[in-house]
Amino acid sequence: MNLSVAANINSFLAALVLLTAFGMLVQRRMYGLIHLFAWQGLFLSVSTAIVGFVAGKHHLYISSLLTLSLKVVLLPYILHVLIHRLRIQKEVETVVNVPLTMLIGIGLVIFSYHLTAPVRELSTLVTRSTLAVALATVMIGLLMMITRRHAVTQIIGFLAMENGLFFAATSATYGMPLVVELGVALDILIAAFIFGIFFFHIHTTFDSLDVEKMARLKESD
Amino acid sequence: MMLTPIETASACVLGLLLIVVLAGILHRKQRLLLPVCFSLASAASLLTVVAGGLAVANGLTEQVVMLIGLPDLPFHLRLDPLSGFFLTVIGLLAFFVSIYSIGYVKGFLGRRSVTSLVIFYCLFLAGMFMVVLSDDALIFLISWEVMAAASYFLVVFEDEQVENRRAAFLYMVVAHVGAIAILLSFGVLAGLATGFGSFSGYTFDAMRSAHFPVEWATAAFLLSFFGFAAKAGVVPLHVWLPEAHPVAPSNISALMSGVMLKTAIYGIIRITFDLIRVFPWWWGAIVLIFGLVSAVMGVLYALMQHDLKRLLAYHSVENIGIILIGIGLAMIFTSFKLPLLAALALTAGIYHTLNHAMFKGLLFMGAGAVLHATHERNMEEMGGLIHLMPWTAVLFLIGCISISALPPFNGFVSEWLTFQAFLLSPSLPSPLLKLLIPMGAALLALTGALAAACFVKAFGVTFLGHWRGHHASRVVETGWMMRLGMIMAALTCLLLGVFPTLVIGWMDAVPEQLIGSGLGATAGTFGWMWLTPVAYERASYSGPIVFFGILSVVVAAYLLLHVRPGAIHRAPIWDCGFQKINQRMQYNATSFSMPIRRIFGFLFSVREQVRLSPQTPHRAFPRRIHYYLRVRDRFWGWLYRPVIEASFWVSRKVGRLQQGRIQAYLIYSFVTIIVLLVFLG
């Protein structure tokens, strides 16, 4: 596989990652959201494997496998179980309406391209064009956390942000050292467990996972 | 092996820290802990008196660089006549109060653990000693904070009462605002001494050898004056004093009022005369004006109080004012190159520092003895204690005479010296000073008169007459340890008043060090008998002659009354034919201060109400009359309330940021990231 083909495939996968990010931004059903998240993980994993193959960095295969097992299988499964147990299949309400969210998202993508323009000119890596997408994914994840009211969607937004960071790492420097990636993966896993436990507690305390209702925790004057 | 004074003083500080450890070990044996720790503390204090006294008497200056400190910034200690003098003052009162505490703190045994009191007491003493010994900005500020924090815990010792916690909090806030100002002031001085790029300007030596541009020096002076004034309780920063002193245990109030305030005086002298050295005259005018205002306002507020310890606390404001008058005059004379007069004014100021420590310590110890015996702070509920507590009454009376500046006790000498500084001052080339100096002398005279009135009230209402309280109380004289502490303080008051020439000769090294001119040669021209501050034809005072004159009159009067039988006979009071007179119908504190309340009423926020009781059948025949009087500090409403409200307003506005919604917080970080990326990307 020559470099230009790899770069094209990689760009295509980046586009798919961005597409799933936008999909998550507008998806209102909980299960749909989790499926999109799993898809994003899959694209990420494939992209990492291709980068690893092209650049000859074999530790990226391990990263790719980790991504596959964690973000495509395990985390969606945990979230699935969680939603099933807590019976929260209903539609996700957003704070800001969907078209506006989309417009902000598009704005963020353009902003990311603008920001990474100097890096793209300097870099010689195959993956240089995907850095903007990675940054946009991070920001869209954060945007998703801001615009959604449900605690579970906020967690998915957080995980999507992490996907974006991972993507940025592979596209900017061919991935972080393996030790760091292992650590991050473990962190994510632990975080997911902790979130799960907390959701149960929040659910029993507030009878809801709507973060708006948690505003009454604020100390009033 | 002989220790030099500075080694002795440092060893005492170390010893006090060891007592802290010992107190922790003896925590379970409270009855043993008390005498052991306090007698060790008194021994350590006595040793510092020796060290400080020697340093002043010999005019020694010693420096030590300590092995500990921040990396590359070791701590410096220095004992020169100025710090030696303050070391003596602090150590002397700490010695008396430590002995007194052995008896006083016993009152807490069985009610609560006194370990924390002992621990913070020792830390407090150590902090004060270190403040005057320190020779760089770092250790100064560290000691300053140790002192402030330890005294906070001492004020809040009886923490179950809301009043105590509030007072301690107020004290903490004022102390810290002041400490920040001092920190900034040292920052300016250190930065200018060696340039802002270097850290080595933090030693006082570096500041001493530097030349400061006048505007920066002024900034540093104003900051430090603000900071030290907050600690000293200069009007209008005095509000914490009348709150914190009454609620602290009395031995602590004695130390706080007697010597802790003096560390602020030390700071002012150290920064102006020693570190900055060259200053324009109007700095002195500022100090003088604040001193005058504090003196007059302090005594007027004191007159309105009927809580004995609160009254004494306001008198500390007054006396700090008198000390500042001396220092302000010294600064003015120094900048006009009048070294002899400057030495006179400075001597007056620091002599009053020593005197105030002694008599205010004595008075707080006396108030503590009264409190210990009656469990009452309100004077209106006391009376006739002279029969029940004769020792305390006599000792308290000595304190009253001293603070009222009456001969032959010590207060008179220092106030007289301050007057001499006013009266001897030539006409200075400034219209403000031409006005200020005569007016200052008049105000000082007014202050002295009002203070005397105030202590007639304090002593008269507390110790004379009959018991005014609603419920009879079993009052017994205090124990020997407390009496011993007070007796020594009272004797010191007398000695300082009778032999002023010797004292001035001893402390002459301080003005020599700071101004380059002393008073010792002129003051002691005629030996210890006569005090002639500048020249004998201008003014002279003989402590011993006045003392023996007064003593002979007192002895003669006593003999006339007591030797002849029948010269004294006791009879019921003439009740104007009313017949139903009772003990509540005595002249009391409120009625005593009424004329002054009428004259100076505009300075206070006075609310006075007279209400007939509801069961009154007719206005002409009231069954009962309720009299309600509330006198409050105007400064609270003028200065503090707006600040408090403004800070609450700001906090509420800032509190809006805290929405309680996760999304809002996320938006903050999101916007921050975007902004950073835009501007730094």
Side-chain angles (χ1 to χ4, degrees):
Chain A
M1 199 191 296
N2 67 8
L3 279 181
S4 70
V5 175
N8 278 334
I9 293 176
N10 206 29
S11 301
F12 177 63
L13 285 170
L16 286 177
V17 168
L18 191 60
L19 189 67
T20 45
F22 269 100
M24 285 199 276
L25 200 57
V26 295
Q27 176 57 269
R28 303 177 78 168
R29 293 207 189 90
M30 206 61 96
Y31 284 118
L33 208 53
I34 294 173
H35 290 152
L36 279 171
F37 174 69
W39 278 110
Q40 193 180 43
L42 183 65
F43 297 141
L44 203 58
S45 152
V46 173
S47 153
T48 315
I50 288 173
V51 170
F53 176 71
V54 171
K57 306 259 173 173
H58 296 292
H59 79 260
L60 282 182
Y61 293 140
I62 300 174
S63 298
S64 163
L65 274 177
L66 263 177
T67 313
L68 193 68
S69 58
L70 269 180
K71 288 176 184 160
V72 184
V73 182
L74 196 56
L75 285 177
Y77 174 71
I78 291 174
L79 287 168
H80 217 278
V81 171
L82 201 66
I83 290 168
H84 188 69
R85 288 261 181 88
L86 297 176
R87 291 189 201 86
I88 38 175
Q89 292 94 342
K90 65 167 180 178
E91 300 210 327
V92 182
E93 315 102 275
T94 51
V95 179
V96 187
N97 63 30
V98 172
L100 187 57
T101 326
M102 289 285 274
L103 283 176
I104 298 174
I106 291 166
L108 288 175
V109 173
I110 295 168
F111 180 62
S112 316
Y113 267 97
H114 165 72
L115 265 181
T116 50
V119 183
R120 258 178 293 138
E121 276 170 25
L122 287 177
S123 172
T124 53
L125 302 181
V126 215
T127 49
R128 59 185 180 275
S129 58
T130 55
L131 186 59
V133 174
L135 190 60
T137 316
V138 173
M139 291 212 226
I140 289 173
L142 191 53
L143 184 64
M144 185 173 154
M145 290 179 80
I146 292 172
T147 53
R148 298 301 179 88
R149 289 171 50 179
H150 203 280
V152 177
T153 44
Q154 293 204 323
I155 294 314
I156 295 174
F158 174 76
L159 293 171
M161 258 176 82
E162 206 281 330
N163 276 350
L165 278 176
F166 183 81
F167 200 36
T170 34
S171 54
T173 62
Y174 286 153
M176 294 174 271
L178 187 60
V179 184
V180 179
E181 281 195 17
L182 283 175
V184 171
L186 193 65
D187 275 356
I188 292 289
L189 192 60
I190 303 251
F193 278 115
I194 293 174
F195 289 140
I197 294 163
F198 264 92
F199 284 158
F200 274 108
H201 280 281
I202 293 171
H203 194 70
T204 45
T205 315
F206 287 89
D207 227 10
S208 157
L209 279 178
D210 187 346
V211 289
E212 296 278 297
K213 302 229 165 112
M214 290 178 215
R216 67 182 140 147
L217 288 173
K218 184 196 172 194
E219 192 182 346
S220 59
D221 49 11
Chain B
M1 184 186 76
M2 278 296 288
L3 289 175
T4 60
I6 190 163
E7 287 164 354
T8 317
S10 326
C12 292
V13 173
L14 200 63
L16 285 167
L17 298 179
L18 287 178
I19 300 173
V20 170
V21 179
L22 183 67
I25 295 169
L26 289 179
H27 175 59
R28 302 213 168 271
K29 303 192 176 97
Q30 297 269 312
R31 286 202 174 277
L32 184 67
L33 163 93
L34 200 68
V36 169
C37 289
F38 278 120
S39 38
L40 285 176
S42 71
S45 313
L46 194 61
L47 269 179
T48 54
V49 175
V50 174
L54 277 178
V56 180
N58 300 334
L60 292 174
T61 299
E62 292 176 284
Q63 280 173 302
V64 170
V65 181
M66 283 185 359
L67 293 175
I68 53 167
L70 298 182
D72 276 346
L73 305 174
F75 292 148
H76 296 69
L77 297 185
R78 175 174 143 128
L79 183 63
D80 55 10
L82 179 63
S83 47
F85 176 79
F86 279 89
L87 206 60
T88 315
V89 174
I90 297 168
L92 202 56
L93 188 65
F95 172 58
F96 301 151
V97 171
S98 299
I99 289 176
Y100 171 86
S101 300
I102 299 175
Y104 183 79
V105 180
K106 248 184 216 154
F108 292 113
L109 284 181
R111 282 196 286 144
R112 53 168 58 244
S113 161
V114 297
T115 317
S116 69
L117 182 69
V118 174
I119 286 176
F120 288 116
Y121 182 89
C122 294
L123 280 178
F124 181 45
L125 289 185
M128 288 194 290
F129 290 138
M130 286 306 289
V131 164
V132 295
L133 281 175
S134 49
D135 193 36
D136 66 58
L138 279 177
I139 181 106
F140 185 92
L141 286 166
I142 291 171
S143 326
W144 189 260
E145 285 300 303
V146 166
M147 180 179 87
S151 51
Y152 166 81
F153 285 109
L154 292 170
V155 170
V156 84
F157 177 61
E158 290 173 272
D159 54 1
E160 68 278 353
Q161 281 161 26
V162 183
E163 184 196 2
N164 298 16
R165 293 198 299 266
R166 288 175 70 103
F169 177 72
L170 179 65
Y171 167 55
M172 199 67 171
V173 169
V174 177
H176 272 105
V177 170
I180 289 169
I182 297 169
L183 174 69
L184 291 176
S185 159
F186 278 133
V188 171
L189 290 180
L192 289 171
T194 54
F196 283 94
S198 154
F199 279 115
S200 54
Y202 77 109
T203 58
F204 286 173
D205 266 342
M207 296 181 198
R208 264 182 212 111
S209 53
H211 287 279
F212 302 106
V214 71
E215 59 273 21
W216 280 106
T218 304
F221 165 72
L222 290 179
L223 279 169
S224 67
F225 185 61
F226 174 81
F228 289 123
K231 192 67 162 188
V234 172
V235 172
L237 297 170
H238 65 287
V239 286
W240 65 270
L241 253 131
E243 303 299 324
H245 285 188
V247 300
S250 295
N251 52 342
I252 305 307
S253 337
L255 279 181
M256 281 177 74
S257 180
V259 289
M260 189 190 76
L261 307 185
K262 306 307 180 322
T263 58
I265 300 292
Y266 166 80
I268 293 173
I269 298 180
R270 176 65 79 193
I271 286 211
T272 49
F273 283 98
D274 191 29
L275 300 186
I276 301 182
R277 294 178 322 281
V278 185
F279 40 82
W281 63 267
W282 56 268
W283 290 14
I286 288 179
V287 176
L288 179 61
I289 289 170
F290 275 102
L292 284 170
V293 171
S294 300
V296 176
M297 296 301 286
V299 72
L300 283 175
Y301 280 122
L303 265 164
M304 297 304 122
Q305 307 305 320
H306 43 74
D307 175 332
L308 194 54
K309 288 177 76 177
R310 186 180 271 262
L311 179 146
L312 293 177
Y314 272 117
H315 270 287
S316 299
V317 177
E318 176 222 334
N319 280 287
I320 287 291
I322 295 174
I323 295 167
L324 285 184
I325 290 173
I327 292 169
L329 282 175
M331 288 168 76
I332 292 173
F333 294 143
T334 310
S335 61
F336 282 114
K337 305 273 182 296
L338 299 165
L340 187 61
L341 276 176
L344 171 63
L346 186 67
T347 307
I350 61 174
Y351 202 149
H352 199 71
T353 307
L354 173 60
N355 290 342
H356 178 242
M358 292 305 124
F359 58 64
K360 188 49 68 68
L362 171 61
L363 285 168
F364 264 116
M365 287 193 270
V370 171
L371 185 65
H372 191 79
T374 61
H375 303 290
E376 186 65 67
R377 284 201 328 237
N378 189 351
M379 286 195 287
E380 310 283 36
E381 303 285 324
M382 298 181 207
L385 292 180
I386 194 169
H387 303 294
L388 303 167
M389 309 173 73
W391 279 92
T392 310
V394 170
L395 294 168
F396 195 83
L397 181 63
I398 291 176
C400 291
I401 299 174
S402 307
I403 198 172
S404 308
L406 296 176
F409 289 97
N410 58 356
F412 172 78
V413 179
S414 46
E415 289 204 28
W416 183 77
L417 285 174
T418 314
F419 272 116
Q420 294 307 320
F422 269 122
L423 300 175
L424 295 173
S425 72
S427 74
L428 294 170
S430 153
L432 176 67
L433 290 181
K434 275 187 190 130
L435 177 72
L436 199 57
I437 285 184
M439 211 174 75
L443 284 177
L444 184 61
L446 175 70
T447 307
L450 289 174
C454 189
F455 277 94
V456 169
K457 165 180 130 173
F459 184 79
V461 175
T462 310
F463 289 98
L464 305 183
H466 289 284
W467 181 252
R468 293 174 177 77
H470 284 286
H471 32 76
S473 157
R474 276 178 46 78
V475 177
V476 284
E477 178 61 280
T478 50
W480 271 107
M481 275 305 174
M482 288 166 76
R483 254 183 266 175
L484 188 62
M486 291 193 280
I487 288 170
M488 288 194 293
L491 273 181
T492 316
C493 285
L494 184 64
L495 292 177
L496 289 175
V498 175
F499 301 109
T501 319
L502 299 181
V503 182
I504 289 173
W506 166 72
M507 62 166 77
D508 212 35
V510 182
E512 285 282 2
Q513 177 206 351
L514 299 174
I515 298 170
S517 162
L519 217 54
T522 50
T525 323
F526 296 87
W528 56 271
M529 195 74 167
W530 286 92
L531 173 63
T532 49
V534 176
Y536 74 94
E537 63 271 8
R538 298 296 294 268
S540 57
Y541 168 71
S542 168
I545 291 178
V546 172
F547 173 61
F548 285 107
I550 291 175
L551 191 66
S552 54
V553 171
V554 170
V555 168
Y558 183 85
L559 289 178
L560 274 179
L561 290 174
H562 284 81
V563 170
R564 215 152 40 94
I568 300 176
H569 60 102
R570 293 181 182 272
I573 305 165
W574 185 57
D575 54 7
C576 307
F578 182 67
Q579 289 188 338
K580 281 189 273 184
I581 195 158
N582 68 27
Q583 300 196 341
R584 297 286 294 164
M585 297 176 185
Q586 292 179 75
Y587 207 46
N588 63 15
T590 310
S591 36
F592 190 90
S593 55
M594 193 272 257
I596 291 161
R597 200 163 55 239
R598 285 287 138 82
I599 300 168
F600 294 102
F602 63 94
L603 290 173
F604 313 104
S605 122
V606 182
R607 186 186 288 173
E608 201 172 7
Q609 276 178 349
V610 180
R611 201 157 45 80
L612 304 181
S613 80
Q615 303 104 3
T616 303
H618 186 269
R619 283 181 57 82
F621 305 103
R623 194 153 297 159
R624 253 161 180 248
I625 292 178
H626 292 280
Y627 176 74
Y628 171 81
L629 173 70
R630 195 199 64 181
V631 182
R632 285 177 71 173
D633 221 324
R634 278 248 155 125
F635 285 102
W636 191 259
W638 283 347
L639 197 64
Y640 291 84
R641 173 105 19 94
V643 171
I644 292 169
E645 276 165 10
S647 55
F648 272 121
W649 185 79
V650 170
S651 327
R652 269 197 297 277
K653 293 286 164 202
V654 174
R656 294 254 175 96
L657 280 178
Q658 193 219 359
Q659 293 275 343
R661 293 174 183 209
I662 296 169
Q663 277 100 349
Y665 302 148
L666 287 171
I667 287 176
Y668 298 150
S669 14
F670 190 58
V671 170
T672 313
I673 290 171
I674 298 282
V675 168
L676 287 178
L677 283 174
V678 167
F679 286 101
L680 307 176

